[in-house]
Amino acid sequence: MLDLQLEIFLLILAGFVLAKLGYFSKQTRKQLTNIVLCLVLPCATIQSFEIKVDQQLLVSMILIFMISVGIQLLYLIFCKSCWNGIKDDRKPSLQYGTMVSNAGFMGMPVAQSAFGPTGLLYASIFLIPQRVCMWSYGVSLYEKGTRQEVIRKVATNPCIVAIYIGIVLMVLGMFDIHLPKFIDDTIGAIGDCNTALSMIVIGGILSDVPKEKIFDHISILYSVLRLLVLPLLIFAILLFLPVESMVRNVCVLLSAMPAASTTAMLAQRYEKDPEFASRIIFVSTLLSMLTSPLIFLLLEWL
């Protein structure tokens, strides 16, 4: 977990230094953001659906999927109620960051390390509802226009199209039908660039933020909600449900991850205060170095 967090900070630092040296302009960051959102992230999304479904684990997988759907509904309640006092361009990022965590990049390796291959499989299933929400309702938080226009834009978003493709590939995989190796390897190679490019862009955006404004009270309040309040509430709810401990622990651990890098990607693309979006990613990731181990110890203790 610590290695992953340090990797994130080094990637952010690389983008920060490049921008300060003049090698990473705002225009370049905007172009790279579009590449990530239109190509790299869709490939990473398709890749994430390529999981082997074991019939013996099917019941647990259905259960964890239903719990994940319930968690997204809980996030929606907080998303709708917590940030009504914010009236400027920070609001979409706070709402999006409340619904979507960095469970993909950080959560899946942590789940694998803590709970083995079964934990990784559970994490993959847990992320499906989040990915659907992040590229549907999540994008609609940033989109402008009539309801029909927003629905059309969201439905044809490259990452939503990637979900359609991913679900088809997951079903075909159950019948041992797979993409040709050269296509699958190409998708994997592009998708593997996701974390590095996203964090470098965030570092570049942070270079424009005055140092004294990085740790503002809104970023800290958001981090407390994302890292402690929501996962502890989910933990308390799951304690009263008849679920096996590994299912519960994977759900709670992935719910305790910091803000997703796509928060800054979307804020950059739609020009919704990307500096603030980068701040909440940076601050929540930094604080997660303290909170994530504490959450894990709580799960092990109980």
Side-chain angles (χ1 to χ4, degrees), residues 37-247:
L37 290 175
C38 294
L39 178 63
V40 178
L41 265 172
C43 287
T45 300
I46 292 173
Q47 190 180 25
S48 71
F49 278 89
E50 295 181 326
I51 54 178
K52 185 177 181 180
V53 179
D54 189 327
Q55 290 183 349
Q56 293 180 344
L57 297 174
L58 191 58
V59 173
S60 293
M61 289 167 60
I62 293 173
L63 178 60
I64 202 167
F65 180 86
M66 294 173 62
I67 292 172
S68 181
V69 170
I71 288 172
Q72 289 302 133
L73 293 175
L74 177 66
Y75 288 166
L76 181 62
I77 294 172
F78 276 82
C79 174
K80 290 283 191 180
S81 59
C82 286
W83 309 113
N84 292 330
I86 306 295
K87 303 298 183 182
D88 53 30
D89 285 346
R90 296 175 298 173
K91 186 174 182 177
S93 293
L94 287 167
Q95 292 180 312
Y96 182 88
T98 300
M99 289 198 64
V100 181
S101 71
N102 202 11
F105 172 61
M106 290 182 64
M108 290 182 70
V110 169
Q112 183 179 22
S113 176
F115 308 114
T118 303
L120 179 61
L121 177 62
Y122 286 175
S124 300
I125 299 300
F126 178 89
L127 285 169
I128 293 175
Q130 175 174 292
R131 287 193 166 100
V132 173
C133 288
M134 70 191 287
W135 297 117
S136 53
Y137 178 75
V139 174
S140 72
L141 294 170
Y142 293 91
E143 284 279 11
K144 293 181 179 179
T146 64
R147 180 180 293 271
Q148 291 77 12
E149 289 174 339
V150 171
I151 292 174
R152 178 182 57 81
K153 290 179 181 178
V154 169
T156 57
N157 182 282
C159 287
I160 284 291
V161 174
I163 290 175
Y164 307 151
I165 296 171
I167 291 174
V168 171
L169 292 176
M170 184 172 65
V171 173
L172 290 176
M174 296 173 67
F175 300 95
D176 205 26
I177 301 173
H178 305 283
L179 288 172
K181 188 175 185 302
F182 73 95
I183 295 179
D184 192 46
D185 289 347
T186 302
I187 292 173
I190 296 172
D192 288 343
C193 299
N194 175 43
T195 299
L197 291 180
S198 298
M199 294 302 164
I200 288 172
V201 170
I202 291 168
I205 295 171
L206 278 173
S207 69
D208 295 330
V209 180
K211 289 183 291 185
E212 64 274 10
K213 291 186 177 181
I214 289 180
F215 293 96
D216 65 304
H217 72 283
I218 296 295
S219 297
I220 295 174
L221 178 63
Y222 162 80
S223 298
V224 171
L225 175 68
R226 172 78 264 172
L227 301 174
L228 290 175
V229 175
L230 287 171
L232 290 177
L233 178 59
I234 291 166
F235 177 70
I237 293 172
L238 292 180
L239 276 178
F240 293 97
L241 296 179
V243 298
E244 61 175 294
S245 60
M246 184 182 292
V247 170

Side-chain angles (χ1 to χ4, degrees), residues 5 14 18 44 102 114 128 232 236 250 253 288:
Q5 290 163 322
L18 286 172
N102 202 11
I128 293 175
L232 290 177
V250 169
L253 194 60
S288 73

